Amino acid sequence: MSQNSCSSDFSAAASLSRSITLAFLHATNVKRIVYDEISTLREVNTNNPIASDFDDLRIDSARLMDRIMSLAEVSPIAGGGNCRLALTDEDRDGRDLVVSWMRDLNMDVSIDAVGNIIAYWNVGSGAPVMTGSHIDTVRTGGKFDGNYGVLAGLEVVETCQRNGYIPSRPLAVGIFTDEEGARFAPDMLGSLVYVGGMTTEEALDITAIDGPRLGDELVRIGYAGSAPCPGVVPHSFVELHIEQGPLLEANNVRIGVVTGVQGISWQEVTVVGQSNHAGTTPMSLRHDPTYVAAEIAVFLRQLSARFGGHQVCTVGKVDVFPNLINVVAARVTLTLDVRNTDEKLLQQAEHEISEFLTQIARAEGVQITTKKLARFEPVDFDPRVIDIVESIAKQQGNTTRRMPSGAGHDAQMLARVCPTAMIFVPSVNGISHNPAEHTDTDDLVAGANILLHTMLTLCATDLQ
Ligand code: GLV
Ligand code: MN
Ligand code: MN
């Protein structure tokens, strides 16, 4: 059965034709790497983590942009963005394309039980230095969120290979399943399972917003793999990502040195009222769940204003039943996305929301139930990896700013098992999760060069 989730009602849209058919992609056999085309191979190993014999190495901007634009041609939507909700046909098409590029680079591609794809360039020795991100998108996603980090990782590998640099450790590039959480909650699901934060069985049993079970969708698209989960613990992890916010651009800074990720609390709230006739039911006798949902949205807005700082709250999804003009609704389901860099404040926000739900349910005579969808505490990245990113960014002539991430990222899960940090590049007008998402090529290239040198430096850095 084909599963297209890019039309808003999940039912109609004809599947976009697969741009590439690569039946051999799902084999996980290990290929030995032969670099016939590389005449001189040099071992990259330096005791100085910043200055080294690979200082002049730079990524190929045309090749990076070419891959980004080619992936954006898989499941395009109006306005220049993409719809590749996790484990849909569109996600599979994107995976197939990127895996073909991994295999072109003679990387060993492993796929685990929740569909995480990790490609290894098995050179050097020891645990791999890993990068990666995701290629699933929200329904109205841009071409850079996640994709940029994965494809810049491939560009790091190809740059080394073509220039005859053999890192002293394996390099790994990951595509983590369902980072967005837009189809299966929680977000960062694949990387959470990868680090052992959720069992495979639990993950496979999660149902999509359009009904299917995650495990069934993985099998359907051919990405239920056999690599062990939890996965290989990397030596270190660094993720390159667009900022998705306005701060770098507003401050005329090119590189965000990411110090951590704020805490995330997701819940689904269901309000059940009394469905009735819109013309005959006096206002004083109504138990209207749509009105209550609106009050909840207003409360969240006011709470954010009261808390200030990094507090943000969003009601992003509202489903009204029966959703008709002349019917007081029977039921409304809405999602609450509440985030803060401070765990205590996040808990306080959750507490106040819970009290408000009790109070408004009583006042309006409706029943309110809640379901937790995701809860992640704020994460601090490793100061040593942060320092390396910052030094390299500055050494390459970039302006930098230390900042926490407002968005969730796979790096926040990898940080549970290995030294981790992130690199941000500016988002034009601070826009993301929107087809208009854009980052200038110069910024994308600058970020990828910092990723390259951060990974090579990490290869040569003892982080015990
Ligand atoms: C992921 O993009 C998130 O922060 O919701
Ligand atoms: Mn992302
Ligand atoms: Mn995203």
Side-chain angles (χ1 to χ4, degrees), residues 32 48 52 101 112 127 166 227 246 265 269 271 288 338 357 377 379 392 396 399 408 421:
R32 271 321 316 156
N48 178 346
S52 70
W101 291 331
D112 69 22
I166 301 296
S265 167
V269 177
V271 186
D288 182 352
V338 181
L357 295 181
E377 290 189 11
V379 170
I392 288 170
Q396 293 184 1
T399 46

Side-chain angles (χ1 to χ4, degrees), residues 228-294:
C229 225
V232 169
V233 175
H235 162 273
S236 48
F237 185 85
V238 59
E239 181 173 354
L240 174 63
H241 207 284
I242 55 167
E243 180 200 349
Q244 308 184 269
L247 288 179
L248 292 176
E249 184 182 64
N251 291 283
N252 203 21
V253 171
R254 175 166 269 169
I255 298 299
V257 178
V258 186
T259 52
V261 180
Q262 67 182 347
I264 300 174
S265 167
W266 279 6
Q267 60 180 310
E268 183 179 82
V269 177
T270 300
V271 186
V272 176
Q274 176 61 61
S275 191
N276 213 330
H277 194 290
T280 60
T281 315
M283 298 308 288
S284 60
L285 296 182
R286 292 185 183 207
H287 306 285
D288 182 352
T290 312
Y291 169 73
V292 171

